[in-house]
């Protein structure tokens, strides 16, 4: 009797298929009428026993032993197809050691790390740090151990405009000021999302998404704009850094924990019959605790402050007059530059008076070439607002040529660009390069890394995770960009004094968002701002928060 018939007699054909779907497929159930004893032995994982060493009685005993343990053994035998087998591992090791290039690569990577071992000097030398268009920016900023890159990049674009409007050599906004209000507003928005999903099961995808990182650091440009619209801006010296803004992990860990406890309480009250008005009253009390935690961690933000700055051009003019003998006063070390002074100014007054940019006049363009996200559409991602009364995040998805032309036009006109990217891909943090030809992991590992942009976004391989500022570009003889100057917020000890150079190919592949002034958008793109948005759930791929 064949093994097939024996099993079928013991369990019945349908039950056999239920227990042995992978076995039956592997043995071609419908095509092979008889199965040899050797095949059975192989399924017992006894390849060292040959068919000729066993008589019929011994073979029958093995079969009976097998069948008596079918519940445990079947799972083991079907899972054996999934396992990494020892003979395969031996072959992998043999192949690895037979190739001298693998041994050289391993010595380099084990000793210096993957990125150092993969660094290609020719790629680096092809990206000189000079640019045909370059903007004069202030001192490099440092977000430290926090996820505030989107704030730093946003404020770096605005401080450039302020500095050149008012003739200042340097200036920095307070990032901590907006960080305080962002924590407050995200906490409130989270609790409002809880109230709008009270009947959702806690294991539903929507609630899980809303409940993930209630007040985490990350964000988008539009979150920044919503905060500025509501709270204004202050200089750094009016609200300096704190230990918890420089390293936000512990602060945000316990804030998130308390928020989730508030969420559980609200849902339990709802289940007990509380009205939405009663729940919102409870939420208002909860927000008092949130304010206390933020104030203890960061200090209270100022309602009013004093401001003093000196105009740099006046000093140069005075020096020139002195050199020409036009001033009778002896030259001293006294700073004679004209002063800009304010006493008791509010954050909103400061923003409106000194920042020559309306943050609502800038548009978020994205380049997401996925088939499921057609170009020339306006997209809105649900449950993404950090300020409850503000709109969810919106993006205009445009083809790469439109995307890049807007970027070149804006930087050529003398305005920096906020952008979002995957900063981990083909990146040399210390040296300051974003470039596939400078990070040759393909050569190091002997395999291709050729995911295109669409697949990288669809499969979560290269989502946006960091925001920076473009402050320069090099245009070739045809006016096409071939490299970009990038201002980062990782301090001046990373990159070359805090600046990076990105190849144009890297820009095409890994930059997903840019913030563009309306005057540098073509008519077709401007028209999309009035179109009906396509709404996406927060887990549907388009772009991610930067942190």
């Amino acid at each position: 009797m064949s093994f097939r018939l024996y099993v079928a007699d013991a369990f019945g054909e349908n039950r056999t298929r239920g227990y042995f779907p992978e076995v039956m497929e592997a043995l071609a159930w419908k095509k092979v009428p008889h199965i040899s004893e050797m095949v059975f032995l192989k399924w017992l994982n006894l390849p060292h026993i040959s068919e000729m060493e066993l008589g019929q009685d011994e073979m029958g005993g093995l079969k009976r032993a097998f069948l008596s343990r079918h519940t445990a053994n079947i799972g083991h035998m079907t899972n054996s197809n999934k396992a990494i087998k020892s003979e395969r591992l031996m072959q992998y090791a043999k192949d690895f050691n037979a190739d001298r290039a693998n041994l050289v690569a391993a010595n380099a990577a084990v000793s210096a790390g993957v990125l150092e071992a993969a660094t290609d000097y020719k790629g680096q030398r092809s990206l000189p740090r000079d640019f045909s268009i370059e903007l004069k920016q202030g001192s490099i900023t440092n977000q430290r151990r926090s996820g505030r890159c989107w704030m730093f990049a946003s404020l770096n674009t605005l401080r450039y405009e302020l500095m050149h409007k008012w003739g200042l050599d340097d200036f920095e906004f307070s990032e901590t000021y907006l960080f305080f209000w962002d924590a407050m507003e995200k906490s409130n928005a989270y609790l409002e999302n809880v109230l709008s999903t009270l009947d959702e099961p806690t294991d539903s995808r929507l609630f899980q998404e809303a409940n993930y990182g209630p007040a985490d650091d990350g964000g988008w440009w539009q979150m920044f704009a919503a905060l500025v619209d509501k709270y204004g801006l202050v200089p750094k010296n009016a609200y300096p850094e704190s230990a918890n803004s420089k390293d936000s992990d512990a602060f945000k860990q316990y804030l998130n924990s308390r928020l989730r406890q508030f969420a559980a309480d609200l849902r339990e009250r709802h289940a007990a019959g509380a009205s939405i008005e009663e729940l919102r009253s409870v939420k208002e009390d909860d927000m008092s605790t949130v304010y206390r935690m933020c104030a203890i961690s960061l200090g209270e933000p100022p309602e009013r402050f004093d401001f003093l700055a000196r105009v740099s051009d006046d000093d140069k003019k005075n020096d020139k007059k002195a050199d020409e003998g036009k001033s009778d006063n002896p030259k001293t070390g006294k700073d004679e530059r004209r002063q800009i002074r304010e006493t008791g100014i509010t954050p909103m007054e400061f923003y409106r008076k000194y920042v020559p940019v309306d943050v609502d006049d800038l548009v978020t363009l994205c380049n997401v070439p996925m088939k499921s996200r057609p170009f020339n559409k306006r997209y809105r991602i649900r449950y993404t607002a950090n300020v409850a009364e503000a709109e969810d995040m919106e993006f205009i998805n445009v083809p790469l040529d439109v995307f890049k032309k807007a970027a070149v036009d804006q930087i050529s006109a003398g305005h920096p660009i906020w952008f979002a990217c995957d900063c981990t891909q083909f990146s040399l943090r210390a040296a300051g390069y974003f470039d596939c030809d400078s990070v040759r992991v393909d050569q190091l590992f002997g395999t291709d890394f050729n995911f295109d942009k669409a697949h990288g976004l669809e499969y979560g391989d290269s989502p946006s995770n960091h925001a920076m500022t473009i402050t320069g570009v090099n245009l070739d003889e045809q006016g096409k960009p071939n490299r970009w100057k990038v201002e980062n917020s990782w301090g001046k000890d990373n990159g070359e004094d805090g600046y990076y150079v990105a190849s144009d190919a890297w820009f095409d592949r890994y930059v997903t968002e840019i913030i563009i002034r309306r005057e540098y958008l073509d008519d077709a793109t401007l028209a999309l701002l009035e179109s009906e948005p396509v709404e996406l759930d927060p887990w549907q791929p388009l772009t991610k928060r930067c942190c």
Side-chain angles (χ1 to χ4, degrees):
M1 183 181 292
S2 73
F3 177 56
R4 168 184 176 273
L5 294 177
Y6 190 94
V7 175
D9 286 346
F11 295 106
E13 184 171 356
N14 290 336
R15 191 171 177 190
T16 302
R17 286 178 179 237
Y19 274 108
F20 289 85
E22 295 171 358
V23 173
M24 293 305 107
E25 182 180 354
L27 299 181
W29 173 262
K30 294 183 178 180
K31 296 181 181 179
V32 181
H34 297 288
I35 299 173
S36 71
E37 311 295 76
M38 176 54 77
V39 169
F40 172 68
L41 288 172
K42 287 182 179 177
W43 274 105
L44 279 179
N45 199 21
L46 300 172
H48 58 284
I49 301 177
S50 68
E51 184 177 7
M52 296 186 64
E53 289 176 335
L54 291 176
Q56 193 64 32
D57 291 342
E58 289 89 348
M59 184 64 69
L62 282 172
K63 289 178 180 177
R64 287 190 295 274
F66 168 74
L67 292 172
S68 69
R69 303 193 307 271
H70 68 273
T71 302
N73 287 350
I74 288 169
H76 167 74
M77 293 195 306
T78 56
N79 286 335
S80 68
N81 280 341
K82 306 175 184 178
I84 300 176
K85 294 180 171 60
S86 58
E87 56 268 27
R88 285 293 183 188
L89 291 174
M90 292 174 64
Q91 187 62 48
Y92 299 155
K94 181 179 179 181
D95 294 344
F96 175 83
N97 286 282
D99 190 336
R100 178 177 174 274
N102 290 335
L103 304 180
V104 173
N107 283 334
V110 169
S111 301
V114 166
L115 293 180
E116 287 291 333
T119 299
D120 188 317
Y121 76 91
K122 291 182 179 179
Q124 291 180 315
R125 290 181 181 180
S126 71
L127 292 171
R129 296 177 186 270
D130 47 37
F131 305 88
S132 58
I133 298 170
E134 195 166 3
L135 308 185
K136 183 181 178 182
Q137 181 62 294
S139 302
I140 284 294
T141 56
N142 195 340
Q143 69 186 80
R144 309 283 180 169
R145 293 176 55 85
S146 71
R148 298 176 292 162
C149 63
W150 56 287
M151 285 185 184
F152 275 76
S154 301
L155 292 170
N156 284 340
T157 63
L158 295 193
R159 69 164 175 161
Y160 170 87
E161 306 291 353
L162 181 151
M163 286 168 54
H164 293 281
K165 163 77 173 178
W166 297 96
L168 308 183
D169 281 333
D170 203 0
F171 181 82
E172 186 174 351
F173 287 103
S174 169
E175 298 87 4
T176 310
Y177 175 75
L178 290 186
F179 189 53
F180 179 98
W181 293 119
D182 184 59
M184 286 290 297
E185 290 290 346
K186 279 179 178 170
S187 298
N188 181 62
Y190 167 72
L191 294 177
E192 285 295 324
N193 287 340
V194 169
L195 293 178
S196 69
T197 57
L198 288 169
D199 294 319
E200 285 280 331
T202 54
D203 61 354
S204 74
R205 191 167 192 178
L206 179 57
F207 183 79
Q208 286 294 309
E209 187 71 28
N211 193 51
Y212 180 82
D216 279 357
D217 287 0
W220 283 288
W221 166 269
Q222 292 161 77
M223 288 183 168
F224 167 78
L227 294 170
V228 173
D229 283 338
K230 188 168 183 177
Y231 296 104
L233 295 167
V234 306
K236 194 177 190 74
N237 61 8
Y239 193 48
E241 293 285 302
S242 70
N244 293 301
S245 63
K246 295 177 183 177
D247 186 347
S248 61
D249 282 355
F251 164 45
K252 288 302 181 73
Q253 174 188 337
Y254 292 104
L255 178 58
N256 283 341
S257 181
R258 196 68 188 94
L259 287 169
R260 292 188 180 105
Q261 291 180 56
F262 291 150
D265 175 59
L266 290 170
R267 290 172 65 89
E268 288 166 5
R269 289 173 184 264
H270 169 68
S275 68
I276 190 66
E277 291 78 14
E278 291 171 327
L279 295 177
R280 189 155 277 119
S281 176
V282 172
K283 187 210 77 170
E284 296 298 330
D285 291 340
D286 293 340
M287 287 301 299
S288 174
T289 300
V290 172
Y291 184 91
R292 182 168 66 249
M293 294 180 72
C294 292
I296 288 172
S297 299
L298 303 171
E300 287 192 281
E303 295 182 5
R304 295 181 176 274
F305 60 93
D306 298 340
F307 174 63
L308 187 150
R310 288 184 169 87
V311 178
S312 58
D313 288 343
D314 285 356
D315 188 46
K316 295 174 184 177
K317 292 175 184 176
N318 289 337
D319 285 347
K320 185 176 180 181
K321 288 181 180 180
D323 291 340
E324 293 173 352
K326 294 181 180 180
S327 175
D328 296 330
N329 296 325
K331 189 174 181 180
T332 69
K334 182 181 178 182
D335 192 335
E336 299 287 355
R337 289 175 294 173
R338 179 170 60 89
Q339 296 180 1
I340 301 172
R341 299 193 69 172
E342 295 283 356
T343 302
I345 191 170
T346 69
M348 189 58 71
E349 290 169 345
F350 182 80
Y351 163 57
R352 290 173 177 165
K353 182 173 182 178
Y354 288 100
V355 180
V357 178
D358 181 349
V359 293
D360 296 317
D361 253 355
L362 290 97
V363 177
T364 304
L365 299 186
C366 66
N367 175 242
V368 178
M370 296 190 300
K371 290 181 180 179
S372 59
R373 305 289 179 265
F375 288 135
N376 301 316
K377 297 279 187 182
R378 177 184 172 199
Y379 292 92
R380 178 184 294 157
I381 305 178
R382 300 169 64 216
Y383 295 97
T384 51
N386 63 331
V387 176
E389 65 270 25
E391 297 290 339
D392 285 323
M393 301 301 103
E394 291 190 357
F395 308 85
I396 304 294
N397 193 21
V398 296
L400 185 61
D401 59 339
V402 176
F403 190 76
K404 290 179 71 173
K405 183 180 185 304
V408 170
D409 288 351
Q410 181 160 310
I411 199 75
S412 298
H415 302 291
I417 302 168
W418 185 106
F419 76 100
C421 65
D422 182 355
C423 71
T424 66
Q425 298 284 1
F426 300 93
S427 165
L428 296 175
R429 178 167 181 152
Y433 290 91
F434 296 120
D435 177 40
C436 298
D437 289 337
S438 297
V439 186
R440 297 304 302 268
V441 285
D442 56 334
Q443 292 180 351
L444 179 70
F445 292 122
T447 189
D448 292 331
F449 294 86
N450 53 13
F451 242 4
D452 60 23
K453 192 171 191 175
H455 283 94
L457 293 169
E458 185 176 7
Y459 283 84
D461 184 62
S462 51
S464 52
N465 52 36
H466 188 52
M468 295 177 282
T469 310
I470 295 172
T471 59
V473 65
N474 192 69
L475 304 179
D476 64 18
E477 295 177 352
Q478 288 74 44
K480 302 295 183 183
N482 53 29
R483 60 183 178 271
W484 303 79
K485 184 177 182 180
V486 176
E487 177 191 8
N488 208 341
S489 55
W490 291 344
K492 61 182 182 178
D493 292 334
N494 288 291
E496 186 173 89
D497 293 326
Y499 285 91
Y500 287 63
V501 57
S503 66
D504 190 57
W506 187 90
F507 179 101
D508 291 352
R509 175 63 181 81
Y510 295 109
V511 173
T512 52
E513 297 171 50
I514 53 176
I515 304 303
I516 299 296
R517 292 168 171 245
R518 289 173 184 259
E519 60 260 40
Y520 305 115
L521 299 177
D522 58 35
D523 291 340
T525 304
L526 283 171
L528 293 174
L529 297 174
E530 306 303 322
S531 64
E532 190 67 23
V534 177
E535 288 214 335
L536 300 175
D537 286 316
W539 55 84
Q540 291 183 284
L542 182 75
T543 182
K544 298 290 186 182
R545 291 196 302 183
C546 296
C547 55

